[in-house]
Amino acid sequence: MSIDYKLAGSDTDTRNYKVSVKNLRSWFGTKQALKDISFDVKENTVTALIGPSGCGKTTLIRCLNRMNEMTAGASVQGSVFLDNIDIYDKSVDPVLIKRRMGMVFQKPNPFPTMSIYNNVAAGLKLNGIKDKNLINEVVEESLRGAALWDEVKDELAKPGISLSGGQQQRLCIARALAMQPEILLMDEPTSALDPIASAKIEELMNDLKKDLTIIIVTHNMQQAARVSDHTAFMYLGELVEYGPTKQIFENPEKELTERYISGKFG
Ligand code: ADP
Ligand code: MG
């Protein structure tokens, strides 16, 4: 039997969008973590995923680049379209998907034994690029893109982990940028950072979205309101409401959304 849902936040035509999530469901063993999630993301925008702890934000963002399937016991059904191609189609190479959709994690995780330079260059080298000049260029461009170049240009040989937390997170962003992704997925990228370092990353997101599309998980609602164009509110594995950020925060349709954004639970 097929039920014809009117999908919250989802168009029927994936061609207008950079990313389209259609009827995505996910399980850990027999426990369902995501229940029929559908929404669309336009190119050169920032989309925020918000909701209380355990509602499925991390699971969802990890399903978007097929990282979730690397977790033992995890399974996924449904589709994620990237430029109108279903990344879960059997013909799609998950390695290529991860290259096109970079990920930045909650805790800055530079490669601990590597210099600042090599942290950014590692992916290129791994992909067989040997041209030193080209690598130099990409390293500089990526560090500039992550607003870190001016702070580290004279000490590129220093260990990545010698930097401050905020700098380490920007180094991780530079490392992701070096692969020239089209999408940047960020899972609570500032939750381990102080307010000044967080503000820097927020400012950076605003610059980066000119060149790519950003999807960010945040439990900081002020941050979602500041940085995002669209917001998805999740609760218990469901996408409760999705829409323009201003609407979600100022005039939500669902009472549950209103209660969450006004801090009545969380
Ligand atoms: P959020 O990021 O919103 O806090 P998660 O996506 O991490 O939520 O978790 C969603 C649900 O899936 C939770 O109930 C969590 O316990 C469960 N879960 C997450 N990761 C795993 C895992 N590796 N194994 C089993 N259950 C998991
Ligand atoms: Mg999480």
Side-chain angles (χ1 to χ4, degrees):
M1 190 183 78
S2 87
I3 303 166
D4 192 15
Y5 291 106
K6 169 80 184 83
L7 299 170
S10 177
D11 204 330
T12 47
D13 192 344
T14 62
R15 283 172 300 184
N16 301 322
Y17 301 98
K18 189 68 188 172
V19 178
S20 280
V21 177
K22 297 277 186 209
N23 305 103
L24 191 76
R25 286 146 289 156
S26 172
W27 291 261
F28 292 104
T30 55
K31 187 180 177 293
Q32 190 163 8
L34 295 178
K35 297 172 186 163
D36 207 39
I37 306 270
S38 299
F39 65 102
D40 303 305
V41 173
K42 282 221 158 90
E43 198 168 11
N44 302 116
T45 61
V46 176
T47 299
L49 308 180
I50 63 168
S53 185
C55 72
K57 305 179 294 297
T58 293
T59 306
L60 175 57
I61 206 168
R62 286 167 56 90
C63 284
L64 298 184
N65 74 345
R66 294 188 60 170
M67 195 168 262
N68 203 51
E69 68 194 23
M70 292 157 72
T71 303
S75 60
V76 179
Q77 286 181 14
S79 305
V80 175
F81 294 90
L82 172 60
D83 286 336
N84 210 31
I85 291 166
D86 185 357
I87 66 165
Y88 282 97
D89 192 274
K90 282 187 186 61
S91 64
V92 171
D93 177 358
V95 174
L96 285 180
I97 295 302
K98 288 185 191 74
R99 206 171 291 165
R100 291 177 64 180
M101 303 174 103
M103 180 87 86
V104 174
F105 300 89
Q106 187 164 352
K107 210 169 149 278
N109 61 346
F111 300 128
T113 58
M114 284 187 200
S115 65
I116 294 169
Y117 182 96
N118 279 334
N119 259 281
V120 184
L124 299 170
K125 292 181 179 170
L126 212 62
N127 279 287
I129 296 170
K130 294 199 174 74
D131 182 340
K132 278 240 163 66
N133 290 329
L134 176 65
I135 296 176
N136 287 342
E137 248 172 62
V138 176
V139 167
E140 176 172 343
E141 195 179 296
S142 305
L143 286 167
R144 283 189 190 281
L148 188 58
W149 176 252
D150 290 338
E151 290 159 60
V152 301
K153 61 174 188 260
D154 299 323
E155 46 184 32
L156 294 173
K158 270 179 56 177
I161 49 171
S162 66
L163 297 170
S164 73
Q167 289 174 323
Q168 285 188 29
Q169 194 61 306
R170 280 180 281 137
L171 179 62
C172 294
I173 293 171
R175 180 176 67 189
L177 294 179
M179 302 311 290
Q180 305 185 336
E182 296 154 54
I183 317 266
L184 199 54
L185 306 172
M186 307 174 101
D187 190 355
E188 304 203 27
T190 66
S191 64
L193 307 181
D194 64 59
I196 292 170
S198 300
K200 263 218 156 96
I201 299 224
E202 288 184 12
E203 200 181 306
L204 177 58
M205 290 171 62
N206 211 18
D207 290 335
L208 289 174
K209 79 170 183 182
K210 291 170 195 143
D211 298 318
L212 41 73
T213 305
I214 298 176
I215 301 176
I216 178 180
V217 169
T218 176
H219 65 232
N220 179 332
M221 284 188 273
Q222 287 76 27
Q223 178 170 73
R226 281 192 297 268
V227 304
S228 71
D229 302 289
H230 284 78
T231 295
F233 168 56
M234 297 174 68
Y235 186 67
L236 297 178
E238 296 192 47
L239 177 57
V240 175
E241 190 164 348
Y242 176 67
T245 295
K246 199 171 152 62
Q247 183 193 313
I248 296 289
F249 281 93
E250 289 175 11
N251 193 19
E253 274 174 16
K254 304 262 170 72
E255 197 198 330
L256 194 59
T257 314
E258 198 279 322
R259 288 180 51 216
Y260 182 71
I261 58 141
S262 61
K264 297 209 174 72
F265 70 98

